[in-house]
């Protein structure tokens, strides 16, 4: 490096490199400038100066200098390396890899460049390349521990576990007998555990166990040792030893449910689905009775039997489980027991038991059969439980009565208001739910949990501005408005994106959804530093776990929801392109297409110019900040805070496709993925892709209403197209015909007949009836009245539950809203929509959507909140709520979109 | 009711969500990665019967100081899941691991002066003592108690079985806490809070 320079400048060059490494950038710049004074064209100095400027956030200059440096010294590996580093800093890994490869062509044994290359290969999962590079590093420097480990990990990642073990054993062979020294014990122990997990992964269980036992004294992490041991023992079928180990682990942590599961497995008493014979139940009972004596403080030993016990035994056990927890006032009791509501019969028993306790507490002040008096709070907690119980059983009337009783009993208990808010939400009164959550929030302003809960409810009620104001109480960060984005607060971004989407504000909605997408991109990026860090730290098991986590990162719920949201936005944008600025568009539309194009190009150039100017400005301000040695990083101002620019995409469907691809790859088992894929590809006239979506829908759930919709729409659309002309079209046509033959539901049937038979099969289900009605209308638009009748003749059967107080019915609020939207938007039958609304208002008296007689907008229950709501409505969506003359709540366009979103069917272009 | 177990990488997103929902001090994902990839033994979660993460402890070893010790970066339990002793169980698990794996002498943490509930938990249930007061420790200007709990000497309470007394033949004079390059969390100052 810097070899072509005289010794004074040579030393200066070394100083630049050193300053760069120690982050003393100013010093480095000074040294670079003094070389350049004498040798203004010295390539490596130019490059290094560029790299240094890059660290000072002077990007354009940096690129210019680095490129000039390279031009002046194409044969320098330093220049290529620096160019690679520059790309790397901008996350352009593919370009960076190319640069490194060029550098290595000049200097094939350069350790630093090889190491940098290996990091990029790990990041990009270029696993063959990774193995190759790590091999060269080991060959060049076999005395470095890290090179052995890196080579082994590379083989492991490249699916060659046995080779990886071999390498680790060879490495162990190079060590002295008294290895490790005291300060490397943890690392060495981790390496051994990694090796053993590799053996286990390769199916070499005996060897793994043998090795584990042999190295016991060298493995520092004793818990990991035990957990590894028991996993091997059970896999090898040494169940008695396994049982012993699990009992030992339980004595260390009797709250780890996985140990109980393991113990049951060793005893042959485990069923994934919880199905046990009465004999097995007896044995399990015995097991847990003895465990309960050993671990009397563990709640697990009392809770687990509730899963397998039945009937009277269950009733007895659950009652003695519940009593002390009500006395103690454990707020999570209901959520703890809620999985039992999926077991047949247990919900009825729970209802019976808790009602019994309630009655006894009210009449005698104690539990049945007990002479002791309970504290007054016990009754409150019993009512608290019952409220959630009835809410769960869709009897919100009783739930509200119970929670109100509890609130009268103890008006200061915040949890009661939180639960009341949740019940109101389930009942469909989002405004009252938000108001109630706000009441809870005001009772303890220092608790972020109830603040967050309140923000969530406000967003559900589409009070976005108010929600943000509330959230900011905890997220102010210096002068910044809030740090929700910086801290990757994704639940908030999703909830507000969904609210904007409901209100039809696509720009803001997209802004939020894409923010979530950006967080995921950043998380992918986060792994970069750990490729080298973990090899040094030797936390190899966790490192590999992290890489695997990263490989399926995009299957995570938040990402999926954000991608669904973004695709919906783009579809809506395509269907009804917004007018970015009315006059301009007007002007544009008057022009002939050729001139329009020219004008657009002109505008684009102007925009680019403005952007460049803005960049230079921020640069200048940053540079001046740096000179004042202000360390605080100045955040560039968001040039598009409301997502208006996001709406100006050339081709919304192309944008949608980006996210669809990720959904198809990482969320292929979600119906919505393929419904959206169908909608996008039908709009793009990509028939084979749309057909693929239909095929996937059939695979996932052939009976689903949305599957039916897509199937019928597809073949209806295809059938209405003119006959194929070109060869390509004919091939597509033939493929579609062939596929059609494989669909049983369409065999020897017209679409109309297929639709009728779908209706017949599912006529007891509202949503299926609605889908069939919709398709009837799609197929024959003159049969609208008949189709509407199919919906209106649906019957909302009462659900028969034992011990019922008020009749719960079958239909869900969310479905009824979706049906309303079908009537209103697809059938465009306002009379039918109104009839539907009045009918549903009876079923859902709390629903603000249907204007039920008990909803807050009608009764003004949430009186002190209405001011805020209307104020909010004024700022966010002036038409959010308006009263029609008869006093019924009419929803504006924005609110109706709620239904559009719930209901996945979108009108085809 | 609630399962207390070691956290895995797959729990990190849920831990971050839990933190963001109930604590004012938050961290980017990278800081969670940094913890689990440095001290995988020191992260624990509380998982409810529905598989939801309702609490966690995020802890680390202080590598720079001469005396090897652990530090609780963050502790959270959702408000809905209080009164189950989860914070105590999480803390105990992390403290045991610090001591057993890294031979920590003591464990430290910061708590807001105004957070009485957490302060009581640390002093009364968990045996922490005030070591110092850090003025204006938090972004909003509030002071923090710098609290410590001595670990050595109590070590056989929880792990009396099968230990072969490994700690006796290795000493932790900076041992496992040897200085390694640190991945910077951009998250600002860590803190701990209990229900």
């Amino acid at each position: 490096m810097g070899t072509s320079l005289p010794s004074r400048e040579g030393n200066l060059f070394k100083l630049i490199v050193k300053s760069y490494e120690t982050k003393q950038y100013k010093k480095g710049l000074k040294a670079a400038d003094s070389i350049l004074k004498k040798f203004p064209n010295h390539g490596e100095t130019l490059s290094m100066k560029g790299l240094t400027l890059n660290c000072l956030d002077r990007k354009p200059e940096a690129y210019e200098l680095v490129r000039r440096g390279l031009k002046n010294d194409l044969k320098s590996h330093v220049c290529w390396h620096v160019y690679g580093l520059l790309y790397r800093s901008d996350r352009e890994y593919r370009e960076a890899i190319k640069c490194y490869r060029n550098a290595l062509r000049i200097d094939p044994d350069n350790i630093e460049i090889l190491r940098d290359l290996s990091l990029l290969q790990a990041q990009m999962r270029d696993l063959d390349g990774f193995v190759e590079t790590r091999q060269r590093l080991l060959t060049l420097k076999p005395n470095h521990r890290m090179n052995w480990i890196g080579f082994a990990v590379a083989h492991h990642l490249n699916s060659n576990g046995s080779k990886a073990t071999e390498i680790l054993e060879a490495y162990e062979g190079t060590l002295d007998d008294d290895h490790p020294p005291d300060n490397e014990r943890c690392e060495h122990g981790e390496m051994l555990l990694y090796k053993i997990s590799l053996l286990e992964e390769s199916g070499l269980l005996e060897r793994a166990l043998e090795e584990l036992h042999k190295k016991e004294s060298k493995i520092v992490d004793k818990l990991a040792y035990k957990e590894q041991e028991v996993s091997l023992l059970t896999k090898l079928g040494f169940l008695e030893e396994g049982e012993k180990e699990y009992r030992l682990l339980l004595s260390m942590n009797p709250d780890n449910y996985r140990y109980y599961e393991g113990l049951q497995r060793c005893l042959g008493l485990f069923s994934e689905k919880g199905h046990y014979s009465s004999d097995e139940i007896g044995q399990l009972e015995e097991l847990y009775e003895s465990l309960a004596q050993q671990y009397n403080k563990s709640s697990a030993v009392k809770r687990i039997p509730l899963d397998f016990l039945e009937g009277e035994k269950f009733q007895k056990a659950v009652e003695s489980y519940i009593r002390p927890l009500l006395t103690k006032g454990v707020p999570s009791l209901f959520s703890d027991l809620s999985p039992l509501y999926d077991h047949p019969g247990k919900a009825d028993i729970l209802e019976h038991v808790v009602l019994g306790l309630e009655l006894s507490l009210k009449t005698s002040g104690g539990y049945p059969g007990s002479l002791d008096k309970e504290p007054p709070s016990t009754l409150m907690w019993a009512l608290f439980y019952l409220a959630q119980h009835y809410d769960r059983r869709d009897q919100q009337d009783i739930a509200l009565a119970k929670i109100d009783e509890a609130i009268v009993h103890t008006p200061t208990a915040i949890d009661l208001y939180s639960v009341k808010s949740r019940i109101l939400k389930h009942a469909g009164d989002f405004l009252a739910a938000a108001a109630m959550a706000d009441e809870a929030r005001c009772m303890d302003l220092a608790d972020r949990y109830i603040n967050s809960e309140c923000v969530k409810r406000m967003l559900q009620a589409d009070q976005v501005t108010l929600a943000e104001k509330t959230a900011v109480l905890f997220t102010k960060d210096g002068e910044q408005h809030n740090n929700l984005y910086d801290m990757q607060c994704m639940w908030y971004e999703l909830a507000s994106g969904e609210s904007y989407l409901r209100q039809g504000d696509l720009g803001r909605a997209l802004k939020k959804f894409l923010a979530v997408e950006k967080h995921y991109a950043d998380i992918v990026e986060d792994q970069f530093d750990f490729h080298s860090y973990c090899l040094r730290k030797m936390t190899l098991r966790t490192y590999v776990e992290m890489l695997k986590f990263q490989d399926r990162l995009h299957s995570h719920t938040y990402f999926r929801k954000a991608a669904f949201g973004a695709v919906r936005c783009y579809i809506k944008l395509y269907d009804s392109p917004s007018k970015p600025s009315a006059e301009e568009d007007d002007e544009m539309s008057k022009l002939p297409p050729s001139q329009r194009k020219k004008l657009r190009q002109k505008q684009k150039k102007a925009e680019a110019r403005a952007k460049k100017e803005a960049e230079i400005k921020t640069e200048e301000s940053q540079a001046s900040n740096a000179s004042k040695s202000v360390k605080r990083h100045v955040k560039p101002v968001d040039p598009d805070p409301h997502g208006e620019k996001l709406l100006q995409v050339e081709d919304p469907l192309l944008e949608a496709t980006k996210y669809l691809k990720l959904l198809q790859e990482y969320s292929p088992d979600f119906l919505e993925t393929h419904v959206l894929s169908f909608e996008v590809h039908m709009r793009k006239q990509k028939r084979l892709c749309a057909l693929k979506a239909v095929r996937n829908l059939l695979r996932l759930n052939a009976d689903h209403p949305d599957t039916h919709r897509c199937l019928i729409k597809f073949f209806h659309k295809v059938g209405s197209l003119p006959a194929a002309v070109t060869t390509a079209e004919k091939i597509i046509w033939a493929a579609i015909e062939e596929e059609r033959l494989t669909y049983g539901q369409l065999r020897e049937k017209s679409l109309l007949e297929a639709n009728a038979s779908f209706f017949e099969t599912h006529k007891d289900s509202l949503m299926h009836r609605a889908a069939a009605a919709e398709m009837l209308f799609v197929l024959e638009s003159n049969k609208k009245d008949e189709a509407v009748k199919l919906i209106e003749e649906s019957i909302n059967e009462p659900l028969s539950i034992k011990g019922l107080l008020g009749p719960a019915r079958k239909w869900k609020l969310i479905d009824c809203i979706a049906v309303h939207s079908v009537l209103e938007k697809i059938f465009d039958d306002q009379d039918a929509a109104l009839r539907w609304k009045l009918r549903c208002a009876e079923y859902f008296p709390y629903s603000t959507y249907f204007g039920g007689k008990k909803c807050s907008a009608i009764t003004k229950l949430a009186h002190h909140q209405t001011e805020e709501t209307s104020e909010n409505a004024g700022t966010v969506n002036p038409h959010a709520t308006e009263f029609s003359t008869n006093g019924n709540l009419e929803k504006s366009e924005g609110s109706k979109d709620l239904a559009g979103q719930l209901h996945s069917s979108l009108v085809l272009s | 009711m609630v399962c207390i177990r070691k956290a895995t990488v797959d729990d990190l997103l849920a831990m971050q969500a839990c933190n963001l929902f109930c604590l004012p001090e938050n961290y980017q994902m990278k800081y969670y990665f940094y913890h689990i990839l440095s001290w995988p033994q020191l992260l624990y979660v509380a998982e409810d019967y529905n598989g939801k993460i309702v609490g966690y402890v995020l802890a680390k070893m202080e590598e720079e100081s001469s005396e090897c010790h652990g530090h609780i970066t963050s502790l959270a339990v959702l408000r809905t899941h209080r009164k189950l002793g989860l914070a105590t169980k999480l803390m105990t698990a992390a403290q045991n691991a610090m001591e057993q794996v890294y031979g920590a002498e003591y464990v430290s943490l910061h708590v807001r002066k105004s957070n009485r509930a957490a302060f009581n938990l640390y002093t009364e249930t968990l045996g922490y003592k005030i070591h110092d007061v850090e003025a204006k420790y938090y972004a909003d200007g509030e002071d923090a108690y710098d609290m410590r709990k001595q670990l050595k000497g109590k070590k056989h309470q929880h792990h009396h079985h099968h230990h072969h007394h490994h700690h006796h033949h290795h000493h932790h004079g900076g041992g496992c806490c040897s200085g390694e390059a640190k991945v910077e969390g951009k998250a600002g100052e860590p803190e701990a809070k209990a229900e």
Side-chain angles (χ1 to χ4, degrees):
Chain A
M1 286 187 290
T3 40
S4 57
L5 294 167
S7 74
R8 196 187 88 92
E9 278 74 20
N11 285 334
L12 276 172
F13 187 82
K14 279 181 200 150
L15 182 67
I16 308 176
V17 177
K18 204 180 150 202
S19 310
Y20 169 75
E21 280 164 359
T22 53
K23 299 188 177 175
Q24 293 176 289
Y25 303 123
K26 275 172 97 184
K27 212 168 156 188
L29 279 187
K30 229 169 142 187
D33 284 336
S34 85
I35 299 176
L36 291 174
K37 229 179 236 167
K38 271 196 181 170
F39 305 96
N41 292 321
H42 188 252
E44 297 184 348
T45 306
L46 286 167
S47 291
M48 279 307 297
K49 184 181 175 187
L51 189 62
T52 307
L53 285 175
N54 184 51
C55 296
L56 295 169
D57 265 329
R58 290 159 69 177
K59 287 232 172 268
E61 275 175 274
Y63 271 93
E64 205 240 298
L65 280 167
V66 169
R67 284 187 184 130
R68 233 174 78 206
L70 186 62
K71 233 179 254 166
N72 287 336
D73 198 352
L74 272 170
K75 289 239 160 79
S76 157
H77 67 82
V78 174
C79 291
W80 280 110
H81 191 186
V82 166
Y83 201 20
L85 288 171
L86 194 60
Y87 274 125
R88 188 183 106 172
S89 76
D90 283 331
R91 303 181 178 183
E92 300 220 35
Y93 297 139
R94 301 210 180 276
E95 291 305 311
I97 288 180
K98 280 185 211 158
C99 293
Y100 289 157
R101 287 207 180 279
N102 279 331
L104 286 169
R105 222 163 273 151
I106 299 156
D107 187 6
D109 292 343
N110 188 308
I111 303 272
E112 254 174 86
I113 301 174
L114 281 167
R115 211 185 295 137
D116 281 345
L117 176 63
S118 81
L119 301 180
L120 289 180
Q121 289 167 326
Q123 180 77 9
M124 301 306 289
R125 304 292 192 272
D126 169 9
L127 299 175
D128 290 324
F130 187 43
V131 170
E132 191 190 313
T133 311
R134 296 286 357 169
Q135 179 157 23
R136 271 169 77 191
L137 278 164
L138 180 60
T139 319
L140 290 168
K141 285 239 160 163
N143 55 343
H144 275 203
R145 175 178 91 178
M146 204 169 148
N147 289 340
W148 287 93
I149 306 301
F151 189 36
V153 170
H155 270 297
H156 179 201
L157 295 178
N158 204 22
S159 315
N160 196 343
S162 56
K163 183 86 191 169
T165 346
E166 266 173 48
I167 297 163
L168 289 176
E169 306 222 297
Y171 162 67
E172 278 184 274
T174 69
L175 303 172
D176 300 332
D177 286 344
D178 59 352
H179 192 85
D182 279 349
N183 61 354
E184 282 177 33
R185 287 186 60 87
C186 285
E187 284 95 335
H188 190 68
E190 278 296 315
M191 191 277 289
L192 292 170
L193 283 167
Y194 174 60
K195 191 181 78 180
I196 289 154
S197 73
L198 273 174
L199 288 168
E200 184 181 22
E201 213 180 289
S202 328
L204 301 168
L205 303 176
E206 281 107 344
R207 256 192 71 199
L209 188 62
E210 193 186 314
E211 184 67 14
L212 184 74
H213 286 149
K214 206 167 97 192
K215 298 285 164 65
E216 181 178 359
S217 67
K218 294 198 173 186
I219 293 171
V220 181
D221 183 350
K222 291 302 163 196
L223 182 60
Y225 176 90
K226 285 261 166 273
E227 290 188 342
Q228 179 61 266
E229 187 182 25
V230 79
S231 151
L232 290 168
L233 284 170
T234 43
K235 278 188 187 165
L236 282 163
F238 298 136
L239 299 182
E240 260 173 60
E241 287 91 333
E243 183 199 332
K244 251 193 244 160
E245 289 296 303
Y246 273 122
R247 286 187 187 273
L248 195 66
L249 285 165
L250 277 174
S251 73
M252 293 158 74
N253 178 2
D255 289 303
N256 191 334
Y257 280 74
R258 297 183 181 180
Y259 298 161
Y260 291 99
E261 187 189 310
L263 179 62
Q264 279 180 235
R265 279 181 196 278
C266 288
L267 293 166
L269 287 172
F270 184 78
S271 138
E272 201 71 61
K273 287 186 178 160
H275 298 315
Y276 298 103
S277 68
S278 59
D279 191 38
E280 286 169 329
I281 292 177
Q283 290 177 45
L284 281 168
E285 239 186 298
E286 238 171 79
L287 172 68
Y288 279 93
E289 265 166 32
S290 78
L291 288 169
Q293 282 174 357
Q294 256 176 298
Y295 311 117
N296 54 8
K297 280 199 178 154
S298 157
S299 57
V301 292
K302 299 180 197 101
R303 173 64 185 84
I304 293 169
L306 300 182
D307 289 340
F308 58 76
L309 291 175
E310 302 279 351
E312 259 176 60
K313 279 190 171 163
F314 170 75
Q315 180 166 337
K316 235 183 113 193
V318 84
E319 181 160 351
S320 58
Y321 183 78
I322 288 176
R323 283 187 182 196
L325 298 177
L326 289 180
T327 306
K328 196 176 169 196
V330 168
S332 55
L333 177 61
F334 176 78
S335 111
D336 179 45
L337 295 179
S338 64
L340 298 173
Y341 285 71
D342 298 329
H343 298 215
K346 288 191 179 173
D348 288 338
I349 296 179
L350 280 161
E351 186 165 307
H352 176 75
V353 165
V354 186
L355 282 176
L357 296 178
E358 182 203 14
L359 183 68
S360 168
L361 288 163
K362 279 183 177 168
T363 50
S364 75
Y367 286 133
S370 161
L371 293 175
D372 297 335
K373 285 265 182 279
E374 285 292 315
S377 63
T378 308
L379 175 60
M380 180 200 94
W381 290 113
L383 292 166
F384 183 69
Y385 183 94
L386 285 169
Q388 296 170 85
H389 167 90
Y390 285 111
D391 182 35
R392 162 84 196 215
R393 305 196 100 185
D394 279 330
Q395 300 174 55
Q396 275 84 21
D397 254 326
I398 312 176
L400 286 168
K402 293 288 178 196
I403 202 70
D404 283 336
E405 198 182 335
I407 290 175
V408 170
H409 182 285
T410 312
T412 50
I414 301 175
D415 306 76
L416 303 179
Y417 298 82
S418 293
V419 159
K420 181 164 182 187
S421 161
R422 193 170 328 127
I423 300 170
L424 286 165
K425 182 196 82 170
H426 292 157
D429 195 338
F430 293 110
L431 292 174
M436 193 51 62
D438 198 46
E439 217 170 311
R441 183 183 71 79
C442 293
M443 293 169 81
D444 185 357
L445 293 170
D447 187 327
R448 187 171 184 186
Y449 183 90
I450 41 180
N451 176 282
S452 300
E453 215 172 30
C454 174
V455 171
K456 201 161 94 180
R457 297 276 180 266
M458 287 170 167
L459 290 172
Q460 281 158 354
D462 290 342
Q463 303 169 330
V464 196
T465 312
L466 193 59
E468 191 176 336
K469 272 187 206 156
T470 309
V472 161
L473 296 173
F474 276 93
T475 58
K476 249 184 237 155
D477 188 9
E479 280 148 49
Q480 236 178 301
H481 183 45
N482 74 53
N483 66 7
L484 290 162
Y485 174 78
D486 290 336
M487 288 301 129
Q488 307 171 321
C489 192
M490 293 188 259
W491 74 261
Y492 173 82
E493 287 167 330
L494 279 176
S496 82
E498 271 151 21
S499 174
Y500 282 128
L501 178 55
R502 278 194 295 271
Q503 299 178 61
D505 188 340
L506 297 181
R508 284 185 169 88
L510 269 177
K511 184 88 190 166
K512 296 293 178 195
F513 292 135
L514 299 190
V516 175
E517 198 271 330
K518 175 73 170 48
H519 297 321
Y520 278 83
D522 287 340
I523 292 172
V524 170
E525 199 51 41
D526 284 345
Q527 63 183 311
F528 196 95
D529 290 347
F530 295 106
H531 298 310
S532 54
Y533 179 78
C534 291
L535 292 186
R536 268 182 289 131
K537 265 281 187 186
M538 284 282 211
T539 44
L540 306 169
R541 286 175 308 153
T542 321
Y543 171 61
V544 173
E545 200 188 293
M546 187 271 290
L547 295 182
K548 288 184 181 154
F549 163 83
Q550 292 278 1
D551 288 342
R552 52 187 147 70
L553 182 67
H554 289 91
S555 63
H556 191 260
T557 335
Y558 286 163
F559 178 82
R560 181 166 50 248
K561 285 186 182 160
F564 284 159
V567 174
R568 287 194 175 287
C569 285
Y570 285 123
I571 292 175
K572 279 201 165 186
L573 191 58
Y574 175 85
D575 289 350
S576 52
S578 66
K579 309 278 176 278
S581 56
E583 319 118 56
E584 194 185 274
D585 228 353
D586 254 18
E587 218 172 280
M588 278 264 226
S589 59
K590 282 181 208 146
L591 296 169
S594 62
Q595 282 188 33
R596 223 184 287 169
K597 201 174 167 192
K598 264 186 203 157
L599 187 63
R600 279 229 177 91
Q601 278 170 346
K602 227 177 170 179
Q603 283 174 345
K604 265 193 187 162
K605 270 187 196 156
E607 266 172 38
R609 217 180 304 128
K611 202 179 149 201
K612 210 167 186 184
E613 276 164 21
E615 264 173 23
I616 293 167
K617 257 184 204 158
T618 30
E619 239 172 77
E620 275 168 4
S621 74
Q622 275 163 1
S624 68
N625 267 334
S627 69
K628 275 179 240 153
S629 80
V630 181
K631 256 204 146 184
R632 185 175 282 268
H633 188 69
V634 182
K635 280 194 55 181
V637 183
D638 186 343
D640 185 25
H642 308 312
E644 280 147 6
K645 293 217 173 85
L646 295 172
L647 296 178
Q648 290 164 24
V649 286
E650 281 284 308
D651 182 355
L653 295 183
L654 185 71
E655 295 299 312
T657 314
K658 281 188 208 162
Y659 301 104
L660 264 186
K661 276 191 184 140
L662 287 164
L663 287 168
Q664 285 166 328
E665 185 172 353
Y666 294 101
S667 299
D669 292 339
F670 286 78
L671 222 54
E672 193 168 353
T673 297
H674 305 293
V675 172
L676 291 175
S677 165
F678 176 80
E679 296 295 345
V680 169
H681 288 117
M682 287 302 269
R683 282 166 176 74
K684 289 171 84 173
Q685 322 256 351
K686 299 240 177 182
R687 271 164 285 154
L688 287 182
C689 293
L691 181 62
K692 199 175 143 203
V694 172
R695 195 189 305 143
N696 274 310
L697 287 167
L698 288 165
R699 165 181 69 86
L700 289 174
N701 187 349
D703 289 330
H704 195 279
D706 285 337
T707 303
H708 180 68
R709 279 191 179 92
C710 293
L711 180 79
I712 299 290
K713 278 186 198 168
F714 179 79
F715 286 105
H716 178 60
K717 178 87 183 175
V718 166
S720 67
L721 292 172
V725 183
T726 65
T727 330
E729 271 179 12
K730 280 179 184 159
I731 291 171
I732 294 175
W733 208 265
I736 292 172
E737 270 313 301
E738 196 180 325
E739 179 106 4
R740 178 175 179 152
L741 293 175
T742 64
Y743 295 159
Q745 51 272 75
L746 299 181
R747 196 167 298 142
E748 288 165 23
K749 275 189 203 123
S750 71
L751 292 178
L752 215 51
E753 285 163 346
N755 190 47
S757 112
F758 178 83
F759 177 84
E760 207 44 49
T761 317
H762 301 288
K763 64 171 178 243
D764 292 336
S765 153
L766 173 64
M767 292 309 278
H768 289 81
R769 293 178 70 107
E774 192 185 326
M775 289 309 104
L776 177 61
F777 178 55
V778 165
L779 292 171
E780 308 221 336
S781 56
N782 58 343
K783 293 204 171 150
K784 187 163 132 184
D785 291 343
E786 191 185 320
V788 169
K789 230 171 100 187
L790 291 182
I791 292 179
E792 291 195 316
E793 281 172 357
S794 310
I795 297 166
N796 193 5
E797 309 263 7
L799 285 178
S800 56
I801 302 174
K802 216 169 59 180
L804 199 74
L805 288 174
R809 288 175 187 268
K810 206 169 147 193
W811 291 357
K812 301 264 177 254
L813 174 59
I814 189 173
D815 292 343
C816 291
I817 292 175
V819 170
H820 181 255
S821 157
V822 168
L823 288 170
E824 190 178 45
K825 287 193 173 162
I826 293 172
F827 289 110
D828 194 20
D829 186 338
Q830 302 314 318
D831 289 343
L834 186 64
R835 284 196 300 274
W836 185 256
K837 194 170 163 183
L838 292 173
R839 182 175 173 192
C840 290
E842 293 294 314
Y843 299 139
F844 305 102
Y846 293 94
S847 161
T848 37
Y849 184 89
F850 289 121
K853 61 179 185 294
K854 291 181 185 167
C855 82
S856 61
I858 301 301
T859 60
K860 301 199 174 131
L861 254 178
H863 36 268
H864 85 268
Q865 188 63 22
T866 29
E867 296 144 43
E868 264 180 273
T869 311
S870 53
E871 170 225 283
N872 176 256
T875 54
V876 177
N877 181 354
H879 308 295
T881 53
E882 52 189 47
F883 290 91
S884 70
T885 42
N886 63 3
N888 273 341
L889 183 71
E890 296 286 345
K891 282 291 189 175
S892 74
E893 274 309 308
S895 309
K896 278 173 204 154
D897 286 337
L898 170 67
Q901 202 204 2
L902 299 170
H903 172 44
S904 47
S905 144
L906 294 156
V907 187
L908 284 176
S909 62
Chain B
M1 295 199 82
V2 177
C3 173
I4 305 287
R5 58 171 176 80
K6 225 168 15 183
T8 68
V9 177
D10 290 291
D11 294 315
L12 297 181
L13 282 163
M15 287 166 71
Q16 187 193 39
C18 175
N19 165 277
L20 280 163
F21 213 81
C22 65
L23 294 188
E25 267 71 37
N26 312 119
Y27 321 99
Q28 292 173 336
M29 260 312 274
K30 192 169 183 183
Y31 202 52
Y32 293 85
F33 281 133
Y34 166 56
H35 276 79
I36 204 165
L37 290 167
S38 304
W39 312 279
Q41 306 86 354
L42 304 186
L43 287 77
Y44 272 81
V45 289
E47 181 184 28
D48 81 356
Y49 227 77
N50 304 291
K52 181 181 172 194
I53 299 301
V54 297
Y56 68 84
V57 61
L58 186 67
K60 59 184 200 161
M61 296 306 297
E62 283 304 348
E63 321 216 286
E64 273 113 50
S65 87
S66 57
E67 216 178 354
C68 173
H69 72 275
H71 182 79
I72 304 292
T73 301
S74 179
L75 167 71
V77 174
L78 293 186
R79 182 189 168 82
T80 43
H81 284 73
R82 64 194 197 282
K83 285 210 176 175
L84 294 170
L86 298 182
T88 309
K89 287 173 179 172
L90 290 166
M91 287 289 283
T92 312
Q95 286 164 186
N96 285 345
M98 284 172 187
E99 190 183 345
Q100 195 275 312
V101 180
Y102 297 99
E105 307 271 340
Y106 66 88
V107 52
S108 63
L109 57 82
H110 290 108
V111 61
R112 280 178 187 270
K113 262 187 158 177
S114 65
N115 191 349
R116 296 312 295 177
F119 182 80
N120 287 342
L121 170 80
Y122 296 139
T123 49
E124 279 156 35
T125 315
L126 291 164
Y128 281 75
K129 295 203 163 60
I130 296 175
H131 175 73
D132 204 353
V133 178
E134 299 213 19
K136 303 201 169 152
Y137 179 82
Y138 294 100
D140 58 9
E142 189 171 343
D143 296 349
Y145 287 123
D146 171 2
M147 309 196 71
R148 285 187 183 183
K149 173 193 168 75
Q150 219 50 46
L151 291 175
K152 285 274 161 93
K154 283 188 174 179
K155 74 178 118 197
H156 294 299
Q157 250 175 30
H158 295 279
H159 296 257
H160 42 82
H161 34 260
H162 246 302
H163 249 197
H164 305 309
H165 299 275
H166 285 293
H167 336 275
H168 294 313
H169 38 88
H170 68 103
H171 306 285
H172 291 274
C176 293
C177 306
S178 54
E180 285 272 1
K182 185 160 152 186
V183 181
E184 288 297 337
K186 292 177 195 163
E189 290 298 337
E191 84 127 357
K193 179 180 169 178
E195 330 97 292

